[in-house]
């Protein structure tokens, strides 16, 4: 399932959208965020991302706003709840985790986008700036996740490598133009013959933990232990079924 984000409208403010994203995760369907518009216009937004301005990507720039699905709407926000909205709200409110379950599921989708970010798109001389902004985005979303204590911090991986590799220091090299490039997220030995990309190792560790969480969730759904919310017109009250 592909969810296209634009700066024209906040997809997370639409109840049908967040409900469908949640249901996709419950049914084991992979949900992928895709930025649209300026953020991925090659001559504008993509060039900004290449230059380390990660907030040119709409999937990152809107992360400061936590998911708050209980305030999401169907129809025009200035109008009373329509029948779709009433139906979805009844279904969610009969689930075990209610709207908090939707919020956590969608935050996990946002987190998955971040830890899978293709950092090689960022130009070498801009990676320190790009890594800093991506780290800030990850640390913004992380406290909202279920089992957040399982995810390792960047600092712990950095400290581990400093202990294992005494004498390693902040990366300093030359880019393709011959200009000096520094990056505090990468360590190198005195001769410059060996480097350790701490930032990529951190992303890999976060991704491994997330995948383990998602796999466990998938197994629990197979065993009927999840919090699946399904719309079904044939059940007792005409619109909801909680599994």
């Amino acid at each position: 399932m592909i969810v296209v984000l634009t700066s024209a409208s906040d997809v997370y403010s639409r109840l049908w959208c967040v409900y469908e994203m949640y249901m996709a995760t419950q049914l084991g369907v992979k949900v992928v965020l895709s930025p649209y518009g300026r953020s991925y216009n090659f001559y504008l937004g993509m060039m900004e991302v290449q230059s380390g301005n990660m907030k040119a990507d709409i999937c990152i720039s809107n992360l400061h706003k936590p998911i708050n699905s209980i305030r999401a709407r169907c129809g025009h926000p200035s109008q009373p709840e329509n029948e779709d909205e009433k139906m979805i709200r009844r279904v969610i409110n009969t689930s075990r985790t209610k709207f908090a379950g939707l919020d956590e599921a969608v935050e996990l989708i946002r987190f998955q986008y971040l830890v899978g970010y293709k950092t090689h798109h960022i130009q070498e001389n801009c990676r320190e700036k790009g890594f800093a902004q991506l780290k800030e985005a990850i640390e913004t979303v992380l406290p909202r996740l279920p089992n957040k204590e399982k995810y390792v911090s960047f600092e712990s991986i950095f400290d581990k490598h400093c202990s294992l590799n005494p004498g390693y220091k902040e990366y300093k090299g030359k880019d393709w133009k011959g200009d000096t490039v520094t990056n505090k997220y990468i360590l190198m030995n005195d001769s410059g013959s060996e480097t350790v990309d701490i930032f990529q190792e951190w992303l890999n560790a976060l991704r491994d933990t997330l995948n383990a969480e998602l796999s466990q969730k998938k197994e629990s759904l197979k065993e009927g232990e999840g919090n699946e919310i399904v719309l079904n017109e044939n059940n007792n009250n005409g619109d909801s079924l909680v599994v």
Side-chain angles (χ1 to χ4, degrees), residues 75-92:
H76 198 284
S78 66
Q79 299 299 315
E81 294 180 1
N82 60 26
E83 292 307 310
D84 275 7
E85 183 171 339
K86 291 176 182 178
M87 174 182 63
I88 296 172
R89 289 186 181 279
R90 282 197 297 269
V91 172
I92 295 171

Side-chain angles (χ1 to χ4, degrees), residues 50 123-128 175-177 179-182:
Q50 289 174 339
Q123 295 173 356
E124 185 178 5
N125 60 338
C126 302
R127 283 185 182 168
E128 185 174 48
D175 64 11
W176 62 276
K177 296 184 295 183
D179 295 334
T180 298
V181 175
T182 61

Side-chain angles (χ1 to χ4, degrees), residues 12-64:
Y12 304 123
S13 70
R14 311 308 301 160
L15 188 55
W16 260 120
C17 294
V18 292
Y19 173 77
E20 289 175 344
M21 292 169 72
Y22 170 81
M23 275 307 306
T25 64
Q26 294 292 293
L27 297 174
V29 176
K30 185 176 181 179
V31 182
V32 178
L33 301 183
S34 178
Y36 176 79
R38 177 178 171 81
S39 58
Y40 256 53
N41 178 297
F42 182 79
Y43 296 104
L44 296 174
M46 192 58 187
M47 289 184 67
E48 290 191 35
V49 170
Q50 289 174 339
S51 299
N53 182 15
M54 309 310 292
K55 293 181 181 178
D57 183 334
I58 186 65
C59 297
I60 294 177
S61 63
N62 65 8
L63 289 174
H64 64 284

